[in-house]
């Protein structure tokens, strides 16, 4: 049964609080019980504790599948990119190197690539993926476009990402500030690589020692 086409996966990085509830819930998914296919990344660890959940974006033209020499990675008719099929996967790691979002992982002990499949056993029957059911801040949301517009009136979902000269369209949406989303047609992911850290001055105020004149 395909995933209902009116239901979508949304990520709102601004709402992630780094609680790791999604990571723990992911281990309970029946398709990969015991392993978490989601992880948290720091946006800029030297400057902030802000984290963002990383899941498979389910590209419309998945690069991981295109570079697989064994044809082990399949995309369902409703657009969900599956983990590698065990009988075919040769654990070469091509998909790991090719994915622009850094999602696939090769498990050496089992010689297979595994990744987020949007809890397909759940989402294909209209249920929320495990991570979206437990996220306390709704940084991960599974629902309709109408619902997300009502819940996030100051944000706008986008599913177009720019990597150099390549534009990638995905099944998963990322929430952007509405003012920014109206100015740019896509998210330029590689642009952050050209950013230079801002100059920061460290100033420490030294308080006088109240016991400096006290004789012991």
């Amino acid at each position: 049964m395909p995933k209902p086409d009116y239901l979508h996966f949304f990520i709102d990085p601004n709402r992630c609080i780094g609680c790791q509830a999604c990571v723990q819930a992911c281990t309970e998914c029946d398709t990969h019980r015991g392993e978490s296919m989601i992880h948290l990344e720091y946006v800029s660890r030297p400057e902030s504790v802000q984290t963002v959940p990383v899941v498979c974006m389910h590209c419309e033209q998945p690069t991981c599948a295109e570079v697989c020499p064994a044809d082990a990675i399949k995309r369902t008719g409703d657009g969900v990119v599956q983990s590698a099929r065990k009988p075919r996967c040769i654990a070469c790691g091509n998909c790991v190197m090719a994915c622009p979002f850094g999602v696939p992982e090769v498990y050496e002990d089992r010689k297979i690539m595994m990744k987020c499949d949007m809890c397909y056993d759940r989402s294909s029957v209209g249920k929320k993926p495990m991570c979206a059911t437990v996220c306390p801040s709704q940084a991960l949301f599974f629902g309709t476009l109408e619902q997300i517009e009502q819940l996030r009136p100051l944000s706008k979902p986008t599913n177009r990402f720019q990597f150099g000269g390549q534009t990638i369209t995905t099944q998963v949406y990322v929430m952007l500030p509405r003012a920014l989303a109206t100015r740019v047609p896509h998210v330029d992911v590689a642009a952050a690589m050209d950013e230079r850290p801002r100059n920061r001055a460290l100033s420490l105020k030294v308080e006088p020692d109240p016991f400096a004149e006290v004789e012991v």
Side-chain angles (χ1 to χ4, degrees), residues 82-131:
Q82 301 287 319
S83 290
R85 297 187 177 185
K86 192 169 184 177
R88 302 188 66 90
C89 182
I90 60 175
C92 65
N94 281 8
C95 52
V96 177
M97 300 299 294
C99 176
F101 298 101
V103 170
E105 292 186 48
V106 172
Y107 290 78
E108 288 293 336
D109 58 336
R110 282 156 283 181
K111 301 298 181 183
I112 186 141
M113 183 279 281
M114 295 173 64
K115 65 170 192 62
C116 160
D117 60 3
M118 206 185 293
C119 286
Y120 198 64
D121 59 320
R122 297 175 57 86
S123 59
S124 62
V125 293
K127 294 182 179 180
K128 295 180 179 181
M130 293 296 292
C131 57

Side-chain angles (χ1 to χ4, degrees), residues 57 156-161 170 172-176 181 184-187:
M57 300 299 287
K156 185 176 180 180
T158 184
N159 66 336
R160 297 187 66 203
F161 303 88
T170 64
V172 177
Y173 290 78
V174 172
M175 303 303 296
L176 297 180
V184 295
H186 51 251
V187 178

Side-chain angles (χ1 to χ4, degrees), residues 12-21 40 49-53 134-139:
D12 193 339
N14 290 322
R15 301 182 70 90
C16 181
I17 59 175
C19 67
Q20 302 261 354
L40 299 183
V49 296
Q50 178 65 48
T51 53
V52 59
V134 300
C135 182
S137 61
Q138 292 190 332

